[in-house]
Amino acid sequence: MSDRLRLGLNIDHVATIRNARGGAHPDPARAAAMAAEAGADGLTIHLREDRRHIRDGDLDAIRLASTLPINLEMAATEEMCAIATAFKPHAACIVPEKREERTTEGGLDVAGQHNQIAPIVRALAEAGSRVSLFIEPDPVQIAVSEVLGAPVVELHTGKYAELWLEGGQVAAADELENIKIAAREARSRGLEPHAGHGLTFDNVKPIAAIAEIAELNIGHFLIGEAIFTGLPAAIQHMRSLMDEARQEQAA
Ligand code: PXP
């Protein structure tokens, strides 16, 4: 369980910067091409309903640019399901999506939206994608995820990251505990836990040290940091913090 923790690099914000000018630069496919050598194990992209991040044409361009597995984040809508089942990403992560939000706020309510989500999970699985559900670290959401037949749950670390910003590790301690309990609960139900949202060089190690977690998906901070140090250096440093956390936890 404490094998190498995978790093999924979310490259949406390369596209966000490109889209600010409407042209072709910076190209998310170029970021995709650099990711593996720098230490990323996968690419995460979110095709939003309003296309504010990647656009439809980026899907094939990103796939052509890298051999890394693609994790496509998507809303539980018919439009996205049709695109994802045609594109057949390695993994498809269903996320809640509201037009007006700045980023994915809160986890998916799989318990409340079971009937809407169930056929989409089935369709994605039939298309060959590994389905993941982006949920709060909450035992009820995990139990329903198992019933829905998704092999993966991605635990939302947004609240943990916000608390860390407000008061550091002490302020985030209770939420860290919730994430640990949720990761254990997911494993005990045969689900593979991933985690992500708001992770940074400062707050990543306690999450990376949770042995049950198999993958972290990190975007905004790394793309922001890339402005100052370059993308490979930002990825490499995150990679080394994650590996250190795993080694310290195993020692
Ligand atoms: N995982 C999921 C499911 C997300 O929606 C996001 C944000 O797009 C992330 C991870 C990455 O979050 P951040 O950009 O804050 O690192």
Side-chain angles (χ1 to χ4, degrees):
M1 231 171 5
S2 55
D3 296 344
R4 174 179 149 110
L5 175 62
R6 294 195 302 270
L7 170 60
L9 174 70
N10 183 317
I11 54 174
D12 284 324
H13 293 301
V14 179
T16 312
I17 298 171
R18 175 197 61 191
N19 299 348
R21 283 291 174 95
H25 183 77
D27 183 353
R30 190 168 159 199
M34 301 169 90
E37 207 186 330
D41 304 286
L43 297 167
T44 291
I45 44 181
H46 186 177
L47 187 66
R48 291 186 72 105
E49 193 188 6
D50 61 8
R51 306 302 196 266
R52 87 171 83 134
H53 292 158
I54 61 151
R55 303 180 188 132
D56 301 57
D58 292 320
L59 290 171
D60 286 337
I62 288 167
R63 178 173 271 161
L64 273 176
S66 171
T67 53
L68 289 179
I70 293 177
N71 171 34
L72 178 67
E73 292 180 7
M74 51 175 279
T77 63
E78 275 181 33
E79 183 203 12
M80 286 305 147
C81 189
I83 292 171
T85 51
F87 182 60
K88 303 187 193 308
H90 166 76
C93 179
I94 306 179
V95 303
E97 196 177 300
K98 290 189 229 93
R99 238 170 219 282
E100 63 281 8
E101 71 191 353
R102 265 188 291 178
T103 180
T104 315
E105 290 166 6
L108 194 65
D109 179 12
V110 288
Q113 291 177 277
H114 177 280
N115 294 348
Q116 184 191 346
I117 294 168
I120 295 183
V121 171
R122 264 197 307 275
L124 291 168
E126 277 166 25
S129 295
R130 199 157 183 244
V131 182
S132 155
L133 301 171
F134 187 44
I135 57 169
E136 291 297 322
D138 167 2
V140 174
Q141 300 292 343
I142 293 168
V144 178
S145 299
E146 185 193 7
V147 172
L148 282 164
V152 177
V153 284
E154 181 165 332
L155 303 173
H156 198 312
T157 52
K159 186 172 172 199
Y160 163 83
E162 264 173 40
L163 290 165
W164 188 294
L165 270 182
E166 283 165 23
Q169 188 155 9
V170 173
D174 287 352
E175 186 61 10
L176 177 65
E177 197 52 33
N178 290 339
I179 296 167
K180 282 184 190 168
I181 293 167
R184 241 175 273 141
E185 173 71 15
R187 281 285 178 193
S188 76
R189 290 178 177 277
L191 306 177
E192 182 175 285
H194 298 178
H197 205 93
L199 296 176
T200 67
F201 291 158
D202 284 342
N203 68 20
V204 75
K205 282 182 83 175
I207 298 291
I210 302 172
E212 287 82 2
I213 293 181
E215 176 174 308
L216 301 183
N217 285 302
I218 308 182
H220 183 266
F221 177 80
L222 286 177
I223 303 305
E225 194 61 17
I227 294 169
F228 305 109
T229 65
L231 187 58
I235 297 170
Q236 280 157 16
H237 189 52
M238 187 61 86
R239 172 83 263 156
S240 63
L241 291 170
M242 288 165 55
D243 292 343
E244 267 170 44
R246 274 292 153 105
Q247 282 154 13
E248 287 162 11
Q249 171 269 331

